């Protein structure tokens, strides 16, 4: 068998080089540094260091505060992903059906899209302030004994609410454009066979939206894991009693506040592996069921 | 790590500017009014001589400043002088070679260094176990009780409590008058660290951590547990207002007249004067007569200035020159008056007295008087590694006490074991 040989030109490599360099400098190199640091006990100033194998992993990941943060991160991420996707989907389907004033609805629903997580957190913090917060007063007015400074459940409610609120409009935009990409004729044909709009939604629209939903799920899990840092940092900072501490916030606290570089690196490596595993699972088991 | 590297890369750009005068870079954590005073001090220093240019840079809160300094140091782009707070002191002092002890620096470049020039309360906190000063105390504060005079008058009192026993007697009447009796900012600082100093109780083994990093914390002691059992009772009785762990939220409760009294810092004085629309006074931190008949002085809080190593002799001489200027009675008096932080030298304190400052503003003297109250064996300070994390553990467990999730005993067992794990890690790292 004769193999065809092409002339190799350096030009394609030249074109991908900027991207490769960016990935190397901003991802691969720091990630490798974190892995390296996670095996060291090094003083913060870098004046002395010793190789300690897995001591950092055993010390930090075995600690009760890490386990608590891991537990909360899983519950929090599940809730934020599920709620922000389902609320956004509901709003997108309803907004898509509106005929009069549709653009007003859509604009209003997209409004919060550009708000950065720390800003959302600051606004939420003001609204839930025990001294001046309207939402805090409202929750107590309608009969809840609401005190997110002391009650872990209430504190969890506050951070989930703010995180979901901030993310709904992002998801809304994607769902809406996904819905608009579904040909009208498909739905019209389905009307012939099935009169129930709910049933039509689950059998026709939802499967056709699956690629969008899958994409958003990956994005939202990453959001809940990492980007909500800004919300936690500006609201509860892990309180009360560490009940709203997330893994990424703990990495920050130990490394950037407490100057424990080895321990914080070990935690970030574990976090990296968790998200990697999650992404692999998503692509292997869920993406198979999706038809583009 | 990624951020540290980026941070350092960013700093490399700013630190290299050249000029005829020797530049001295000073990274600090003073914002708002305090930051303006720092700028003013720098301006006055630069006007006073033409050999050096002092460039102060605000780097965020205490932790942010320390992290920025660490990142810069690792990249070889460190400032000459950095402000490091009490809880971070062990991180810099225990890393040999990171800092030039201020006593050595002044001996080499200045007119020498005499620790007895400094008031007693600040003399040892940033020193090593032999009493050699490592960091120059800068913004030194101490916890005080602030009280709303109108609120206490409404409840029928004309003076604040001086002991916690008195507080318990007064609290019901204050509640009756429609106030929470007490709020507090920074419970680890006031209700743990200074609790030990106020009652002269040992806080950690190895001379409160000064003699070694191989140390164990002694927070799980009956006196502190008794105190927290009481605090929980106060909360349940509606005598104690808890507004979360943020400093400002609890101070706001006092400013907005929800709480009649507030435990804060002597450095809060200036801020309160600007924000409170009622007459308030400052008083000593109360103590338990059941633990000690007479109270002992408190620790200083706040931060110190550390000279980072790896700089030229010329720049180090500049740092020494500036520290000389900063500790002069005039500058200390100015700093004291503007901010409420205590003057750190006896000469500056004498100047404030002879100037009649305390006759017009007697409350401004309370902090320094408290610091100069009789010292005991355990009132010099503490030196504990990863103390930032230990404070986090305390915040966490104090929340659990308040919410009823843990009993006081359980909470202090958790504080003890988690703190000792952290201290063990620190000892393994900084041996």
């Amino acid at each position: 068998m004769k193999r065809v040989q092409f002339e190799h030109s350096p030009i394609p490599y030249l074109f991908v080089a900027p991207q490769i360099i960016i990935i190397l400098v901003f991802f691969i190199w720091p990630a490798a540094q974190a892995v390296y640091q996670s095996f060291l006990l090094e003083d913060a100033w870098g004046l002395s260091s010793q190789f300690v194998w897995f001591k950092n992993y055993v010390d930090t990941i075995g600690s009760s505060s890490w386990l608590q943060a891991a537990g909360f991160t899983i519950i929090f991420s599940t809730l934020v992903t599920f709620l922000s996707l389902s609320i956004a989907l509901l709003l997108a389907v309803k907004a898509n059906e509106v005929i009069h004033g549709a653009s007003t609805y859509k604009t209003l629903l997209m409004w919060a899209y550009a708000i950065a997580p720390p800003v959302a957190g600051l606004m939420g913090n003001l609204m839930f302030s025990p001294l001046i917060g309207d939402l805090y007063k409202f929750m107590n007015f309608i009969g809840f004994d609401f005190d997110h400074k002391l009650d872990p459940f209430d504190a969890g409610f506050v951070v989930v609410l703010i995180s979901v609120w901030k993310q709904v409009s992002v998801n809304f935009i994607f769902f809406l454009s996904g819905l608009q990409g579904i040909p009208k004729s498909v739905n019209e044909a389905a009307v012939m066979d099935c009169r129930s709009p709910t049933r039509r939604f689950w059998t026709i629209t939802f499967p056709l939206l699956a690629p969008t939903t899958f994409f958003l799920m990956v994005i939202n899990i990453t959001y809940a894991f990492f980007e909500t840092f800004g919300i936690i940092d500006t609201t509860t900072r892990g309180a009360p009693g560490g009940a709203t501490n997330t893994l990424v916030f703990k990495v920050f606290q130990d490394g950037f506040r407490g100057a424990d570089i080895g321990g914080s690196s070990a935690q970030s490596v574990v976090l990296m592996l968790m998200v990697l595993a999650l992404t692999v699972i998503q692509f292997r088991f869920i993406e198979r069921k999706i038809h583009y | 790590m990624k951020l540290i590297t980026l941070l350092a890369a960013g700093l490399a750009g700013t630190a290299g500017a050249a000029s005829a005068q020797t530049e001295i870079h000073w990274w600090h954590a003073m914002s708002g009014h305090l930051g303006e005073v720092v700028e003013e001090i720098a301006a006055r220093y630069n006007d006073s001589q033409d050999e050096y240019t002092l460039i102060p840079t605000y780097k965020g809160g205490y932790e942010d400043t320390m992290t920025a300094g660490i990142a810069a140091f690792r990249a070889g782009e460190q400032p000459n002088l950095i402000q490091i707070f009490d809880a971070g002191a062990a991180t810099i002092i225990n890393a040999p070679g990171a800092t030039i002890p201020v006593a050595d620096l002044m001996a080499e470049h200045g007119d020498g260094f005499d620790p007895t020039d400094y008031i007693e309360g600040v003399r040892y906190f940033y020193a090593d176990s032999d009493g050699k000063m490592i960091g120059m105390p800068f913004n030194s504060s101490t916890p005080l009780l602030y009280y709303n005079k109108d609120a206490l008058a409404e409840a029928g009192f004309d003076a604040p409590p001086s002991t916690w026993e008195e507080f318990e007697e007064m609290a019901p009447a204050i509640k009756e008058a429609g106030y929470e009796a007490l709020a507090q900012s920074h419970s680890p600082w006031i209700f743990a660290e200074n609790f030990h100093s106020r009652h002269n109780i040992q806080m950690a083994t190895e001379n409160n951590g000064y003699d070694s990093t191989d140390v164990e914390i002694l927070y799980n002691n009956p006196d502190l547990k008794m105190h927290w059992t009481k605090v929980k009772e106060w909360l349940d009785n509606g005598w104690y207002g808890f507004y979360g762990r943020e400093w400002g939220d609890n101070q706001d409760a006092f400013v907005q007249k929800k709480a009649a009294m507030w435990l804060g810092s002597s450095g809060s004085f200036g801020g309160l004067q600007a924000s409170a629309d009622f007459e308030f006074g400052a008083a000593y931190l109360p103590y338990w007569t059941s633990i000690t008949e007479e109270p002992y002085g408190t620790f200083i809080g706040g931060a110190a200035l550390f000279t980072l190593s790896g700089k030229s002799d010329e720049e180090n001489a500049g740092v020494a020159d500036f520290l000389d200027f900063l500790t002069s009675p005039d500058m200390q008096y100015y700093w004291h008056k503007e901010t409420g932080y205590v003057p750190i030298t006896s000469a500056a304190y004498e100047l404030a007295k002879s100037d009649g400052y305390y006759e017009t503003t007697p409350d401004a003297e309370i902090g320094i008087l408290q610091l100069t109250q009789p010292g005991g064996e355990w009132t010099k300070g503490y030196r504990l590694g990863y103390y930032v994390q230990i404070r986090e553990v305390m915040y966490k467990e104090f929340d659990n006490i308040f919410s009823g999730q843990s009993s006081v005993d359980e909470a202090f067992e958790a504080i003890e074991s988690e703190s000792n794990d952290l201290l063990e890690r620190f000892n393994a790292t900084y041996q």
Side-chain angles (χ1 to χ4, degrees):
Chain A
M1 206 158 71
K2 194 171 175 256
R3 286 163 76 189
V4 186
Q5 291 280 334
F6 292 102
E7 274 294 302
H8 282 292
S9 157
I11 290 179
Y13 297 104
L14 218 62
F15 284 138
V16 295
Q19 186 62 30
I20 300 286
I21 289 169
I22 287 172
I23 291 175
L24 278 176
V25 171
F26 290 104
F27 181 71
I28 305 289
W29 186 60
Q33 282 274 324
V35 173
Y36 172 65
Q37 288 286 346
S38 71
F39 291 108
L40 299 180
L41 267 189
E42 184 173 270
D43 72 88
W45 310 86
L47 296 165
S48 68
S49 76
Q50 41 184 323
F51 192 80
V52 290
W53 286 108
F54 292 95
K55 178 178 167 56
N56 288 323
Y57 290 88
V58 175
D59 278 4
T60 53
I61 284 135
S63 75
S64 61
S65 53
W66 190 86
L67 293 172
Q68 188 186 21
F72 178 72
T73 306
I74 290 167
I75 297 169
F76 174 74
S77 304
T78 313
L79 278 175
V80 169
T81 307
F82 177 74
L83 289 174
S84 54
L85 282 177
S86 43
I87 294 170
L89 180 59
L90 180 73
L91 290 172
V93 169
K94 293 295 170 198
N96 200 32
E97 287 166 2
V98 172
I99 297 166
H100 294 293
S103 62
T104 315
Y105 279 111
K106 289 171 192 166
T107 313
L108 286 175
L109 284 165
M110 290 175 195
W111 207 247
Y113 162 70
I115 291 174
V119 179
L122 276 177
M123 295 193 313
N125 202 33
L126 275 179
M127 287 194 279
F128 280 104
S129 154
L131 288 167
I132 53 164
D134 291 329
L135 275 178
Y136 176 85
K137 287 178 182 154
F138 175 75
M139 295 298 280
N140 280 294
F141 175 74
I142 59 172
F144 290 104
D145 185 14
F146 189 85
D147 185 2
H148 62 294
K149 300 285 183 188
L150 277 183
D151 189 300
F153 182 84
D154 294 353
F157 172 81
V158 169
V159 287
V160 169
L161 180 76
I162 299 170
S163 307
V164 169
W165 175 79
K166 193 246 156 272
Q167 193 64 5
V168 160
S169 49
V170 179
N171 295 343
F172 173 80
I173 293 171
F174 281 99
F175 274 133
L176 191 66
S177 64
L179 284 169
Q180 287 170 348
I182 298 174
K184 280 234 177 333
S185 51
V186 177
N187 204 23
E188 279 160 7
V191 177
M192 308 284 242
D193 299 323
C194 171
R195 286 192 59 224
S196 158
T198 321
R199 180 113 191 265
R200 276 203 315 273
F201 172 78
W202 288 114
T203 50
I204 306 292
T205 316
F206 191 69
L208 285 172
L209 263 184
T212 312
T213 314
F214 177 70
F215 163 77
L216 284 178
M217 200 173 88
V218 176
I219 295 289
N220 276 263
I221 288 178
T222 319
Y223 163 78
F225 259 83
F226 294 104
E227 281 175 62
T228 50
F229 168 84
I231 292 169
I232 305 281
D233 190 40
T234 46
T235 52
T236 61
R237 287 171 64 193
T244 60
N245 206 352
T246 57
L247 288 173
V248 68
F249 191 69
K250 192 166 160 48
V251 168
F252 165 76
Q253 270 188 328
D254 289 351
F256 287 75
R257 307 246 133 184
D260 178 2
I261 293 171
S264 150
S265 298
Q267 290 175 44
S268 63
V269 170
V270 172
L271 192 59
M272 199 152 70
L273 293 176
M274 280 172 76
V275 174
L276 200 69
L278 215 60
T279 314
V280 169
I281 291 170
Q282 286 171 343
F283 275 91
R284 282 201 58 134
F285 297 101
I286 302 178
E287 205 204 12
R288 274 191 195 164
K289 302 200 170 113
I290 289 167
H291 305 282
Y292 290 96
Chain B
M1 271 323 294
K2 186 162 79 175
L3 263 174
I4 292 191
T5 320
L6 276 180
L7 213 68
L11 295 166
T14 58
S19 99
Q21 295 173 324
T22 306
E23 287 186 355
I24 308 295
H25 290 269
W26 173 22
W27 287 4
H28 65 85
M30 304 273 89
S31 59
H33 178 61
L34 300 173
E36 288 163 21
V37 181
V38 164
E39 294 288 337
E40 174 63 23
I41 289 175
R44 288 195 195 182
Y45 174 68
N46 289 333
D47 287 344
S48 75
Q49 47 76 46
D50 46 14
E51 217 175 322
Y52 308 104
T53 310
L54 181 74
I55 303 166
T57 310
Y58 171 65
K59 282 285 163 186
Y62 284 141
E63 290 96 341
D64 304 312
T65 304
M66 184 164 91
T67 307
I70 285 169
F73 189 89
R74 294 177 73 102
E77 298 289 347
Q78 67 271 35
N80 300 92
L81 202 56
I82 186 166
Q83 184 184 8
I84 301 232
F85 67 135
D86 48 8
T91 301
I92 183 160
I93 293 175
N94 286 307
T99 181
I100 305 171
V102 69
D104 293 348
L105 181 85
M106 302 305 272
E108 199 183 335
H109 298 286
D111 307 330
F113 186 82
D114 184 1
T116 55
D117 288 347
Y118 295 80
I119 65 164
E120 195 163 356
V122 306
R123 210 179 284 165
Y124 303 107
F125 196 92
Y126 299 101
D128 65 11
S129 59
D130 302 325
K132 178 164 137 189
M133 205 96 119
I134 311 286
M136 176 66 87
F138 173 53
N139 55 322
S140 301
S141 57
T142 199
L144 293 183
L145 177 76
Y146 291 95
Y147 59 99
N148 180 332
K149 288 184 178 167
D150 306 335
L152 288 197
E154 276 172 54
F157 303 106
D158 52 8
S162 56
T163 65
W164 290 122
E165 281 90 352
E166 275 176 42
F167 169 79
E168 290 195 314
E169 283 166 23
M170 292 166 67
I174 297 171
K175 189 186 175 189
E176 196 77 1
Y179 297 92
E180 280 158 350
L182 185 70
Q184 177 199 216
S185 294
H186 211 322
S187 45
W189 183 49
I190 303 177
F191 276 180
E193 292 143 36
N194 276 288
F195 178 87
H196 291 79
S197 160
R198 196 81 178 127
H199 301 96
N200 195 29
I201 301 168
Q202 189 174 1
M203 211 173 117
T205 58
E206 296 295 328
N207 189 20
N208 276 359
Y210 277 99
D211 291 349
S212 164
T213 49
D214 187 8
V215 51
E216 286 191 2
I217 208 147
L218 300 174
Y219 274 161
N220 193 6
N221 66 61
D223 290 321
L224 188 59
K225 285 201 281 191
M226 178 280 284
H227 182 68
W228 274 93
T229 310
K230 287 289 191 183
V231 177
K232 165 71 171 153
E233 266 177 47
W234 300 344
L235 181 85
D236 294 343
N237 291 345
W239 300 349
Y240 184 87
F242 178 70
Y243 295 88
R245 55 171 287 174
E246 300 299 323
W247 183 285
D249 293 344
N250 292 285
Q251 183 170 347
D252 285 348
F254 177 66
V255 171
Q256 295 176 19
K257 301 176 203 167
K258 281 221 157 193
M261 291 183 276
W262 171 66
L263 292 169
S265 153
S266 56
S268 313
F269 191 75
L272 280 181
Q273 269 182 322
S275 58
D277 62 353
F278 51 86
E279 250 196 272
F280 68 89
Y284 296 133
L285 179 66
Y287 60 98
W288 290 101
T289 47
S290 59
I291 301 177
T292 175
E293 281 299 313
E294 288 298 321
Y296 292 83
T298 42
F299 295 147
I300 51 166
L305 301 182
F306 287 87
T307 314
L308 291 176
S309 61
K311 293 292 185 179
S312 69
D313 264 4
E314 200 187 357
E315 290 178 27
N316 288 341
V319 174
D321 190 58
F322 168 65
L323 290 178
D324 249 347
F325 174 84
L326 183 68
T327 50
S328 67
D330 279 344
M331 281 325 291
Q332 282 297 314
Y333 180 35
Y334 168 72
W335 175 244
H336 174 46
K337 245 185 4 188
E338 283 294 319
T339 63
Y341 285 116
V342 299
I344 56 170
T345 61
S346 310
Y349 180 37
E350 291 304 322
L351 176 65
K353 274 201 277 198
S354 65
D355 195 42
Y357 179 50
Y358 303 127
E359 279 150 37
T360 51
T361 345
D363 286 337
E365 198 181 7
I366 303 291
I368 189 163
L369 285 176
Q370 181 169 291
L371 279 173
T372 46
Q373 276 179 335
E377 201 181 348
W378 307 114
T379 59
K380 288 194 315 186
Y382 62 90
R383 173 81 27 85
L384 296 172
Y386 289 149
Y387 202 71
V388 177
Q389 287 96 316
I390 293 179
R391 277 184 175 168
E392 282 302 323
V393 172
M394 280 194 272
Y395 272 125
K396 192 176 81 168
E397 293 303 327
F398 293 162
D399 282 350
N400 288 339
I401 292 177
F402 281 148
S403 68
Q405 291 226 317
S406 305
S407 70
V408 172
D409 283 333
E410 287 164 352
F412 276 93
E413 268 161 38
I415 290 175
E416 186 180 39
S417 76
E418 285 189 46
S419 301
N420 284 339
D421 287 349
L422 285 162
L423 289 167
E424 186 266 328
R425 261 187 80 73
F426 188 84
N427 182 44
T429 310
Y430 290 78
Q431 49 183 290

